[in-house]
Amino acid sequence: MKQLEEYIRSIPDFPEEGIIFRDVTSVLQDANGLHMAIDQMQEKIADLDFDVIVGPESRGFIFGVPIAYNLNKPFVPVRKKGKLPCETIEKEYALEYGNAVIEMHKDSIQPGQKVLIVDDLIATGGTIEAITQMVESLGGQVSGIVFLMELSGLEGRKRLEGYRVESVIVYEGK
């Protein structure tokens, strides 16, 4: 049986020279790879107490929804600005080139709820840092954060100090 790392395609010099792009689509395209990814992410948080799962579009949806389904938990989507139909809260955060704004429904997290954040990849940590701030502004408590992959050279964990952060696969470098 293949190891999960074998399902991830590494593409050198994309999007620029010197970068190795870790392509998650090769995991999604293989039933065994997808199954293994979901199972291993769930194993990382098996001892965690939480009420709701939050995930950013789009790959946070891909991994967060099956975990929510398996554990009989609700799922809260975090979307780009302007994509949610009800009253929202928003957070602006820095990207490598410019800024982005994400939103979640104002009624999606109740005060005191324990939240697990799920995404495919942690790089610089900016998106997830913004999500933790939104969750906490609604009165939620971040119980943990789980990723399929981590690019440790970009030091995203530093932005998430004080939170339990789990990654199934850790790549050195960027």
Side-chain angles (χ1 to χ4, degrees):
M1 180 178 233
K2 287 170 73 169
Q3 296 295 309
L4 183 56
E5 294 85 350
E6 296 175 68
Y7 288 97
I8 296 172
R9 190 170 30 204
S10 297
I11 302 166
D13 299 323
F14 183 83
E16 59 188 50
E17 193 171 328
I19 301 293
I20 300 174
F21 185 80
R22 306 300 180 174
D23 183 17
V24 73
T25 61
S26 51
V27 173
L28 304 175
Q29 293 169 185
D30 187 286
N32 291 328
L34 178 58
H35 198 268
M36 195 179 301
I38 299 299
D39 286 351
Q40 289 185 28
M41 290 175 82
Q42 269 186 223
E43 287 169 16
K44 290 284 187 183
I45 50 93
D47 64 328
L48 201 62
D49 180 30
F50 60 93
D51 304 307
V52 61
I53 295 176
V54 171
E57 69 174 292
S58 64
R59 290 167 300 216
F61 294 9
I62 291 169
F63 294 103
V65 169
I67 294 171
Y69 177 84
N70 289 343
L71 301 177
N72 197 32
K73 304 287 184 180
F75 180 83
V76 173
V78 175
R79 304 227 35 212
K80 294 173 185 157
K81 185 173 177 70
K83 300 291 185 179
L84 292 171
C86 297
E87 188 177 359
T88 61
I89 62 167
E90 67 180 46
K91 185 71 180 170
E92 184 174 353
Y93 64 101
L95 298 169
E96 189 174 355
Y97 303 106
N99 293 330
V101 178
I102 53 175
E103 296 180 322
M104 62 193 302
H105 281 141
K106 194 173 191 176
D107 64 356
S108 61
I109 302 295
Q110 302 306 309
Q113 276 191 314
K114 296 176 191 145
V115 176
L116 171 68
I117 300 170
V118 176
D119 204 2
D120 71 319
L121 174 74
I122 179 172
T124 65
T127 304
I128 301 303
E129 180 184 41
I131 293 171
T132 64
Q133 292 168 356
M134 287 194 303
V135 165
E136 291 169 350
S137 76
L138 294 173
Q141 303 166 357
V142 177
S143 295
I145 306 165
V146 65
F147 301 98
L148 179 62
M149 298 180 288
E150 178 176 351
L151 304 178
S152 64
L154 293 174
E155 300 181 335
R157 278 182 185 258
K158 287 185 177 180
R159 292 180 113 156
L160 304 175
E161 283 183 16
Y163 298 104
R164 176 174 165 182
V165 177
E166 300 286 348
S167 300
V168 174
I169 302 168
V170 177
Y171 293 104
E172 302 301 320
K174 300 177 180 180

